[in-house]
């Protein structure tokens, strides 16, 4: 393997220079090595491998900072465990920061002194991105989004044909020839977004949300140019690419003159746009942004949709996507929705902001390199679900849906995995219900 | 590179179990991969889905949209998910010998 070149090292170390505030340096210098974070991390819990504890990940990034930016680290690196940025260090960073972290942020919640560990992991990922060391599988998903406008490289005509197909399904299902999946209409109240895996492979969630908009009498549209809610660049650590992707969605709101951007059920997409984009774009939204979870909850609250409590008899549990719940604070809305019509609802333990990650976050699903580890940590979630006795797992995140679907097959759980829109659409009461 | 052994045959695969050299695929390989996923016997519907996916990949270099799969095979959308419990990507595309598609799959 080739040693790092000078340019790579310079670029890697740039993350510690010209800082806008003291957050990074404060957090890099604060870990007191109490070890509490270990028990919060699914990688440590599943493997009991000390190397995978969050504190070790923090120290890896901090040790490089010490080596180049502190007096003792520069002259007596051995005394303060300061590490040189070389191939060996960078490889270890790739393995721990990309390969053994879903950036779920559970460690950050449990840290005894409030170190933002997930933030430090992302800074480490940015270093690796600057050095051109993002795992190829993750980078190829980012490249697809940057080059084609969506992360699965779906051609626009294929996308349009899929929406028309789903519109026919919708017309049949709601028994109304006027039901529509509007495309590129200007001046609508809502611009809705999608995760590209929906049109490519799992379009039932598109017709489900369209059915909800139909029932609520909503004024909405999709864009066929820019509809991708995901932003994998936020996970690869390349903020220039993250900005480019976020700007496209931002601009499309202007192009179509919509009032509210509704983000599809996508944890990281919601986080990367709604909660993080104003920080990395240094700009406030001139329009409203909300998640489809809040949108559906509002429809129920305002009496715009009604749900049939007799429809779903199975035991249902809820998986909380880390980015939506722990990071975004969308905790009660999904429970409020399910409480309207699910008779047999059982919570997982722990749940809400303390829930365990599904194991597929932080770009893990895209990175084939770490598949074995990903299925190893998934056992925690499998056991957690099994203990609820549920037959249906609902989760408002397509990425979690995919990981949970694999868990379902791998651990032979015999479950149905659904998005929130799908289970709501199943129980919608329509005026024109076909007999 | 990882390897996957099914009934004595060893395949080079990526970390997700997708064939590293898609050109080495044939119907016997498909049967073995299907068996590995718990599909003991591939029926006509399985085969029609697999063949459309394979043909699309050979002609266009990518997995087809689920719409193309359904419309060309006549298999209903919901049935695809029953035929391939791991779904069209990790299930059907893998059995058809394609590289893993990008994105949240």
């Amino acid at each position: 393997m080739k040693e790092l070149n000078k340019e790579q090292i310079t670029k890697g170390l740039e993350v510690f220079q010209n800082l806008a505030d003291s957050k990074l340096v404060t957090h890099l210098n604060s870990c007191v090595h109490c070890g509490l974070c270990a028990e919060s991390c699914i990688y440590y819990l599943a493997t009991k491998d000390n190397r995978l504890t969050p504190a070790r990940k923090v120290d890896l990034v901090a040790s490089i900072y010490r080596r180049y930016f502190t007096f003792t680290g520069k002259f007596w690196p051995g005394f303060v465990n300061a590490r040189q940025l070389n191939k060996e260090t960078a490889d270890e960073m790739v393995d721990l920061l990309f390969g053994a972290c879903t950036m779920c942020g559970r460690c950050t919640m449990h840290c005894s002194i409030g170190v933002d560990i997930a933030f430090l992991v992302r800074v480490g990922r940015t270093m690796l991105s600057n050095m051109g060391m993002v795992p190829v599988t993750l980078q190829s998903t980012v490249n697809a989004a940057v080059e084609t406008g969506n992360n699965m490289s779906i051609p626009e005509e294929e996308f349009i044909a899929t929406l028309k197909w789903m519109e026919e399904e919708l017309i049949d299902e709601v028994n109304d020839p006027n039901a529509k999946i509007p495309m590129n209409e200007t001046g609508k109240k809502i611009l809705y977004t999608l995760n590209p895996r929906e049109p490519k492979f799992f379009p039932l969630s598109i017709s489900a949300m369209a059915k909800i908009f139909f029932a609520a009498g909503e004024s909405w549209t999709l864009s066929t140019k820019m509809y991708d809610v995901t932003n994998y660049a936020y996970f690869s650590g390349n903020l220039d690419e993250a900005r480019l992707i976020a700007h496209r969605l931002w601009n499309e709101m202007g192009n179509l003159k919509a009032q509210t951007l509704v983000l599809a059920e996508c944890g990281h997409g919601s986080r990367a746009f709604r909660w993080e984009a104003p920080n990395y774009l240094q700009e406030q939204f001139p329009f409203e942004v909300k998640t489809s979870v809040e949108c559906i909850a509002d429809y129920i609250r305002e009496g715009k949709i009604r749900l049939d409590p007799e429809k779903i008899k199975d035991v249902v549990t809820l998986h909380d996507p880390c980015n939506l719940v722990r990071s975004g604070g969308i905790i009660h809305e999904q429970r409020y929705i399910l409480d309207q019509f699910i008779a047999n609802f059982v919570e997982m333990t722990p749940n809400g902001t303390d829930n365990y990650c599904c194991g597929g976050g932080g770009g893990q699903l895209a990175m084939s390199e770490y598949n074995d580890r990903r299925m190893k940590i998934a056992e925690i979630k499998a056991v957690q679900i099994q203990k609820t006795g549920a037959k249906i797992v609902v989760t408002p995140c397509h990425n979690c849906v995919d990981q949970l679907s694999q868990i379902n097959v791998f651990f032979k759980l015999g479950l149905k995995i659904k998005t929130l829109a799908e289970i709501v659409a199943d129980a919608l009461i329509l005026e024109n219900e076909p007999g | 590179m990882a390897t996957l052994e099914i009934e004595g045959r060893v395949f080079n695969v990526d970390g997700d179990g997708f064939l590293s050299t898609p050109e080495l695929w044939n119907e016997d390989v498909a049967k073995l991969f299907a068996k590995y996923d718990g599909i003991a016997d591939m029926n006509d519907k399985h085969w029609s889905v697999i063949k459309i996916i394979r043909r699309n990949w050979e002609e266009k270099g990518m997995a087809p949209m689920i719409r193309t799969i359904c419309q060309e095979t006549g298999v209903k959308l919901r049935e695809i998910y029953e035929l391939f419990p791991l779904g069209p990507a990790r299930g059907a595309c893998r059995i058809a010998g394609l590289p893993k598609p990008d994105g949240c799959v």
Side-chain angles (χ1 to χ4, degrees):
Chain A
M1 279 293 165
K2 261 183 27 202
E3 197 36 75
L4 300 181
N5 62 41
K6 220 170 166 183
E7 195 196 341
Q8 277 178 305
I9 295 169
T10 308
K11 286 197 143 187
L13 294 175
E14 273 174 9
V15 298
F16 300 120
Q17 291 157 315
N18 304 319
L19 299 170
D21 56 41
S22 59
K23 177 173 177 178
L24 177 59
V25 175
T26 305
H27 286 249
L28 281 174
N29 282 307
S30 298
C31 176
V32 293
H33 308 282
C34 73
L36 266 182
C37 55
E39 296 286 334
S40 72
C41 175
I42 47 174
Y43 283 90
Y44 176 75
L45 289 174
T47 62
K48 298 290 174 192
D49 180 350
N50 288 330
R51 227 172 55 85
L52 304 186
T53 57
R56 288 286 289 265
K57 294 163 191 164
V58 167
D59 196 55
L60 188 53
V61 180
S63 69
I64 300 165
Y65 172 77
R66 284 196 294 272
R67 174 67 181 78
Y68 296 92
F69 299 95
T70 67
F71 182 78
T72 38
K74 273 181 200 168
F75 296 102
W76 299 283
F79 285 113
V80 289
N81 183 30
R83 284 180 67 166
Q84 206 182 341
L85 181 55
N86 54 24
K87 183 77 170 69
E88 188 192 344
T89 309
D91 282 345
E92 194 176 336
M93 286 173 75
V94 171
D95 186 54
L96 292 185
L97 307 182
F98 276 113
C101 179
T102 63
M103 299 171 91
C104 78
R106 197 164 185 266
C107 52
T108 302
M109 293 265 306
H110 285 255
C111 175
S112 60
I113 53 157
V115 173
D116 192 343
I117 302 171
F119 163 69
L120 296 178
V121 166
R122 191 161 59 79
V123 169
R125 287 188 177 197
T126 300
M127 280 181 81
L128 293 165
S129 170
N130 288 353
M131 295 191 284
M133 293 182 71
V134 175
V136 285
T137 44
L138 180 58
Q139 189 59 49
S140 98
T141 296
V142 177
N143 291 349
V146 169
E147 286 158 20
T148 73
N150 70 83
N151 75 15
M152 296 186 91
S153 305
I154 300 169
E156 190 180 3
E157 62 275 15
E158 298 265 18
F159 179 60
I160 292 171
T162 298
L163 293 182
K164 286 184 177 158
W165 178 47
M166 281 299 108
E167 187 175 85
E168 287 164 24
E169 300 265 316
L170 178 70
I171 289 169
D172 279 352
E173 184 151 351
V174 302
N175 197 22
D176 186 336
N178 298 317
K180 244 184 122 177
I181 297 186
M183 293 181 232
N184 305 322
E185 294 187 8
T186 51
K188 295 288 175 170
K189 182 161 178 288
I190 285 174
L191 173 63
Y192 185 53
T193 53
L194 298 172
N195 183 314
R197 79 193 283 282
E198 299 178 79
K200 183 85 191 185
F201 293 128
F202 299 92
L204 289 170
S205 51
I206 303 177
S207 52
M209 198 62 198
K211 189 177 169 188
I212 295 169
F213 284 140
F214 171 81
E218 188 57 270
S219 151
W220 70 291
T221 188
L222 273 168
S223 161
T224 62
K225 308 264 181 245
M226 181 57 206
Y227 55 86
D228 186 350
V229 69
T230 72
N231 194 337
Y232 272 85
Y234 186 73
F235 286 143
S236 71
N238 186 327
L239 282 183
D240 289 335
E241 288 173 334
R243 284 186 196 105
L244 180 117
I245 293 168
H247 262 305
R248 285 181 184 160
L249 206 50
W250 189 304
N251 291 341
E252 199 59 3
M253 277 297 286
N255 294 339
L256 293 175
K257 299 180 178 59
Q259 294 165 35
T260 304
L261 181 68
V262 173
L263 303 165
E265 296 179 62
C266 176
H268 94 266
S270 300
R271 178 180 174 190
F273 194 80
R274 178 170 173 185
W275 295 295
E276 302 286 356
N279 297 326
Y280 61 75
L281 294 175
Q282 294 280 299
E283 212 177 333
Q284 291 296 320
F285 295 123
F287 44 79
E288 186 188 26
V289 182
K290 63 183 188 183
T291 60
S292 54
V293 179
E294 293 160 284
C295 187
I296 296 169
D298 284 347
Y299 290 153
I300 295 173
R301 235 177 256 125
E302 293 159 9
K304 288 184 177 168
I305 60 171
R306 288 183 304 134
L307 303 172
D308 181 357
E310 299 294 317
K311 198 85 182 198
I312 290 148
K313 312 263 193 220
D314 284 330
V315 179
V316 174
T317 190
L318 175 71
H319 168 71
D320 287 302
C322 308
N323 285 308
L324 202 65
V325 177
R326 198 157 24 240
S327 273
I330 307 287
I331 305 158
H332 305 295
E333 303 295 85
Q334 56 274 46
R335 291 172 167 81
Y336 168 75
I337 296 167
L338 293 174
D339 192 42
Q340 308 297 314
F341 68 111
I342 303 295
N344 297 307
F345 178 70
V346 183
E347 286 277 14
M348 291 190 207
T349 308
N351 63 59
T353 52
D354 199 32
N355 193 27
Y356 292 123
C357 177
C358 65
Q364 288 304 328
L365 268 178
M367 293 186 275
S368 306
E369 294 91 333
Y370 309 108
N371 188 53
D372 288 346
R373 223 185 239 162
R374 176 164 62 82
M375 292 323 287
K376 172 84 184 153
I377 59 168
E379 192 176 353
I380 292 174
K381 183 53 64 180
V383 171
Q384 210 190 359
I385 294 171
Q386 247 174 342
K387 282 186 180 160
T388 65
K391 287 275 168 261
I392 299 175
V393 184
V394 176
T395 188
C397 171
H398 290 283
N399 190 79
C400 296
V401 163
D402 210 81
Q403 169 78 352
L404 293 173
S405 301
Q406 268 193 76
I407 288 175
N408 189 27
V409 174
F410 195 83
F411 295 97
K412 300 187 171 61
L413 301 181
L415 304 162
K416 276 189 193 142
I417 318 288
K418 284 180 178 282
T419 67
L420 195 60
E422 283 169 2
I423 199 161
V424 166
D426 285 346
L428 265 182
I429 299 170
L430 296 168
E431 308 300 329
N432 251 353
E433 196 87 42
Chain B
M1 193 180 291
T3 56
L4 183 66
E5 188 180 335
I6 315 167
E7 295 189 354
R9 282 192 64 180
V10 180
F11 301 96
N12 286 329
V13 292
D14 77 354
D16 277 307
F18 285 75
L19 210 54
S20 298
T21 316
E23 293 73 22
L24 293 181
W25 182 89
N26 59 33
E27 292 191 6
D28 289 335
V29 175
K31 281 181 203 162
L32 288 171
F33 273 52
K35 209 171 264 182
Y36 187 81
D37 283 353
I39 304 167
D41 282 307
M42 297 260 283
N43 62 29
D44 290 350
K45 284 181 179 169
H46 286 112
W47 279 119
S48 63
V49 171
I50 295 302
K51 284 180 179 166
I52 288 293
I53 292 177
R54 187 71 197 176
R55 198 180 71 205
N56 200 93
W57 184 77
E58 282 167 2
E59 287 170 3
K60 298 181 184 167
M62 59 161 70
M65 304 287 287
I66 188 79
R67 178 189 63 85
T68 310
I69 299 173
C70 289
Q71 290 183 342
E72 295 207 13
T73 59
V75 178
K76 290 248 182 298
L77 177 57
R78 286 174 202 271
E79 211 181 340
I80 303 262
Y81 306 117
E82 285 163 22
L83 289 169
F84 299 95
L86 278 165
R90 287 186 186 270
C93 288
R94 202 178 75 90
I95 294 172
L98 272 60
K100 183 183 170 289
D102 288 331
C104 299
V105 292

